[in-house]
Each structure stands twice: as C-alpha cells, then as structure tokens.
Amino acid sequence: MNRNHKKLVECLLEHKESWMTADSLAALLGVSKRSIKTYIAQLKQENPAIVTSSRQGYRIQAAAGQRFLADQAAFSPQTPPQRVRYILTQLIRNDATGDTRTDLYETADQLFVSIETLRKDMAEVRRRLLEFGLYLTSEDSYVSLEGAELDKRKLLSNVLYEDFKERIMSFAILQEAFPQYDLKLLKEILLQKCKQYHYFINEYALVNLLLDIAISIDRIRNQKTFREPRAVKCPVGIREQRLAEDITRQIEAAFGIHYSKAEQEEFTIILLSHLMKIDLENLTWENIGLVVSGECLHIVEEVKDILRNSYFIDVDNEAFLVKFALHIHNLLG
C-alpha cells in the first residue's frame, strides 16, 4: 500500500458518519477521480469489508479502517536502518523480475516518506552495496542493482538475517519471509537425508541453511543463476557429493527448479558448511570427547552445575547432553 491509500483511509475515517463522493475525495487528496476509484478497488482487494460503496459514494467501516492504519504503522519501516534494509530487499527482489528497475518515487510512497528522505537513505544503501561488491545504475527516478549473483544472494541473506534478529530468528519467521515455498517440506528433506548419511545439524544451523537454500530456490525460479562455477574449487568427498546430489534431486522435484552444474557446486559448499559428519546413533556422553573439544565439555559441565545449583534442575539425560555439546561445539566454531 502507498501513502495515498493511507491518506484516503484517514480522510474516510474523518468523515465516517457521512457518504463521500469520488469527486469530494479527489479534491481533498489532490488527485483525480479515477485515482480515487483505483485506490478504493486496491483497498477492497486486500480487505473487502473496509469500504462500502453505493450511489451516494463511499463510507468506511471504522473498525476495519483503524486496523488498517495500525497494521501499516506496525509493518512500515520506521527508522533509517529499517528503511535501508527494506530498500535493499526491494532492489534484490526487483532484480529478479522482468523489469529489474526500482522506482524511487514508488518506494518513497511505500515507506510513507518524502523523496528527499529517501535520497538520504540511498547514500547508506550504496555504502552497504559496496560492502558486497555491488552497485547501482540509475535512469531518471529508476535504479537497478548490478553485480555478481553470489554477492546478491549474500546481501539478501545478510539483510534478512538482520531483520530476523529483531524478532529472534526461527523457522516460523523464516516461513513468513518465504510464504510461497513449503519450508516444512524442505526441512524434512534435509533432516531425512542428513540422518541417512550420518550427518548432524543443530536447530540454529538448520534455520541458517534453510534461509540460504530458500534464497537460492527463489533466485533460480526467477532465472537468476550462476553462469560459471567458482574459479577456486573446494575439495569435496564422494560421499558428501552424493549427499548434496540426493538433496538437490528432491528439491528439484518438490519445488520445480533445476540445479545447473554451477548451482549444484554452490549448494554443496553451503550445505557442508552447516553440517557435522557424525553418527548420532553411536555417539554417547562417554565418547563425545572424540568429536568436541575439552573447552566445549567444560562449558557443558558449567551449565549443568548452574542449572543444578541455582535452578534445582538436573539435566542428566544423555541424548540431551550429547546434542547440547554438539550445539556448543558449533557455536564455538
């Protein structure tokens, strides 16, 4: 929704006791009568109950209108850093569409700010892009994102991760960010294959991996793929290669995409950076020291003591302690 939608709802709420004609609304908002009808249609498409139409004109449903304004306030980026992240996300997502350009005036409307404010935000946007080797080209009020595909994916992952940190990153929030994809199915594919090949992945690493794969699926579906494999090859064993290939075959079937040789190679690198090669069925508290460091075990013991002495909680479940130690091991990096 843009700024004019908000102004229209506010105007209708001010005159909620009477019917407002398209002509009177157009005069109050400083737009054409045709624009008013378009705004009304767009509002009703999102919420059919928000505005009632008759021969007398238009009247808003007060409760629906107030909810609309509250929702806009809740979800609209308010601070400069939030706006910068929103703009970066729009640039990358528009890059994947037929018209790769982003209209700055339209973006200002979406953010409910002036074009002058947006231009100030764009200075920080350009600085962030340079960190990832990316830049903008411009024509009139339109800008386009330029640079390598891998750098664009890294930027989107970074921006989304910053957004997630404000609400604590979780699987549910990740699904909200990619509502068009069944991430529960993707999660099941990863866990089933990791178990089959005796690899372990903790919940934190799993969410990060799902984010990276969801980004790649979305980019591939929009024909934004790697043209060439990486110049520097990463050594990968036959077993690891088979694991990655098995997973990508299932992803291709489930999400209707195709992994090129370059995409397959990149997927393998991302996948193996999040996994630990462990046979959980044969791992116990007695032999966990073969996998994790002494520092890791010391931290686990300290946490056990704190829970027991301060909170009177005994955590002597072996399965829990093994997985907790692996989680600490991953955090220590």
Side-chain angles (χ1 to χ4, degrees):
M1 292 297 174
N2 63 33
R3 183 164 39 191
N4 283 325
H5 293 130
K6 180 173 178 285
K7 288 168 64 178
L8 175 59
V9 170
E10 289 173 338
C11 184
L12 286 167
L13 283 172
E14 287 178 11
H15 302 85
K16 60 185 177 183
E17 301 302 328
S18 58
W19 292 94
M20 297 290 290
T21 65
D23 286 329
S24 60
L25 288 168
L28 287 168
L29 268 66
V31 299
S32 68
K33 178 179 175 180
R34 182 176 181 179
S35 293
I36 293 296
K37 292 183 177 181
T38 299
Y39 300 156
I40 293 289
Q42 290 169 340
L43 284 169
K44 293 181 75 170
Q45 185 175 10
E46 293 291 326
N47 185 349
I50 194 168
V51 176
T52 301
S53 305
S54 76
R55 291 181 180 180
Q56 296 171 278
Y58 303 103
R59 179 184 283 175
I60 196 164
Q61 299 294 323
Q66 289 163 356
R67 281 196 302 271
F68 170 83
L69 293 179
D71 289 343
Q72 291 299 300
F75 292 107
S76 295
Q78 303 294 315
T79 65
Q82 289 174 341
R83 291 197 301 269
V84 167
R85 292 198 297 270
Y86 177 88
I87 295 166
L88 288 168
T89 303
Q90 289 299 104
L91 286 168
I92 299 170
R93 289 181 171 168
N94 288 344
D95 173 70
T97 64
D99 183 357
T100 59
R101 303 177 303 170
T102 297
D103 186 344
L104 295 182
Y105 283 98
E106 183 179 320
T107 303
D109 275 347
Q110 292 167 349
L111 291 169
F112 306 115
V113 298
S114 67
I115 190 65
E116 290 75 19
T117 298
L118 183 72
R119 291 192 189 283
K120 291 178 183 177
D121 291 335
M122 290 302 294
E124 177 62 16
V125 167
R126 287 184 169 87
R127 189 194 69 77
R128 288 286 302 274
L129 291 175
L130 284 175
E131 292 178 359
F132 291 85
L134 301 170
Y135 61 96
L136 294 176
T137 57
S138 59
E139 181 180 355
D140 299 326
S141 65
Y142 295 92
V143 293
S144 299
L145 184 62
E146 303 291 343
E149 174 62 23
L150 180 60
D151 294 329
K152 292 175 183 178
R153 296 187 190 186
K154 287 180 177 178
L155 173 62
L156 181 55
S157 178
N158 181 267
V159 171
L160 291 175
Y161 193 77
E162 286 180 1
D163 279 336
F164 293 151
K165 283 198 296 186
E166 293 189 358
R167 294 192 289 162
I168 304 178
M169 190 173 176
S170 68
F171 177 79
I173 291 174
L174 183 59
Q175 182 65 80
E176 286 180 21
F178 294 91
Q180 68 273 44
Y181 302 118
D182 185 352
L183 298 189
K184 182 179 179 182
L185 174 58
L186 179 59
K187 179 180 178 180
E188 290 171 354
I189 291 172
L190 290 170
L191 292 178
Q192 188 271 328
K193 284 299 175 183
C194 286
K195 183 177 181 180
Q196 179 183 337
Y197 281 81
H198 301 298
Y199 275 88
F200 171 75
I201 181 167
N202 66 37
E203 195 67 24
Y204 179 79
L206 177 61
V207 173
N208 283 305
L209 178 57
L210 286 168
L211 171 60
D212 287 336
I213 296 176
I215 289 172
S216 67
I217 290 173
D218 191 60
R219 298 292 291 181
I220 293 170
R221 289 190 84 174
N222 286 288
Q223 311 302 316
K224 296 293 180 179
T225 61
F226 299 116
R227 296 179 180 178
E228 300 290 339
R230 288 195 184 194
V232 179
K233 301 294 183 181
C234 296
V236 178
I238 295 176
R239 190 159 171 264
E240 289 78 13
Q241 190 66 48
R242 286 176 179 169
L243 167 62
E245 288 173 354
D246 273 3
I247 293 175
T248 53
R249 275 196 295 268
Q250 289 201 18
I251 292 175
E252 286 176 333
F255 296 93
I257 62 171
H258 171 69
Y259 281 88
S260 65
K261 182 178 180 181
E263 289 286 354
Q264 177 71 54
E265 181 179 292
E266 192 62 34
F267 177 88
T268 304
I269 294 169
I270 291 172
L271 175 68
L272 296 182
S273 69
H274 290 81
L275 303 183
M276 293 181 66
K277 188 177 180 181
I278 294 173
D279 187 348
L280 283 177
E281 293 181 0
N282 295 318
L283 198 60
T284 67
W285 187 244
E286 295 297 324
N287 62 25
I288 188 70
L290 299 173
V291 177
V292 304
S293 66
E295 179 189 7
C296 174
L297 294 177
H298 179 68
I299 292 173
V300 173
E301 291 294 344
E302 284 193 333
V303 171
K304 282 178 61 180
D305 289 342
I306 292 171
L307 290 173
R308 182 183 300 110
N309 299 327
S310 299
Y311 298 96
F312 309 105
I313 299 174
D314 284 324
V315 283
D316 289 323
N317 181 280
E318 184 175 52
F320 167 79
L321 289 173
V322 166
K323 290 184 178 180
F324 182 59
L326 293 173
H327 178 68
I328 298 298
H329 173 78
N330 279 356
L331 291 178
L332 293 175

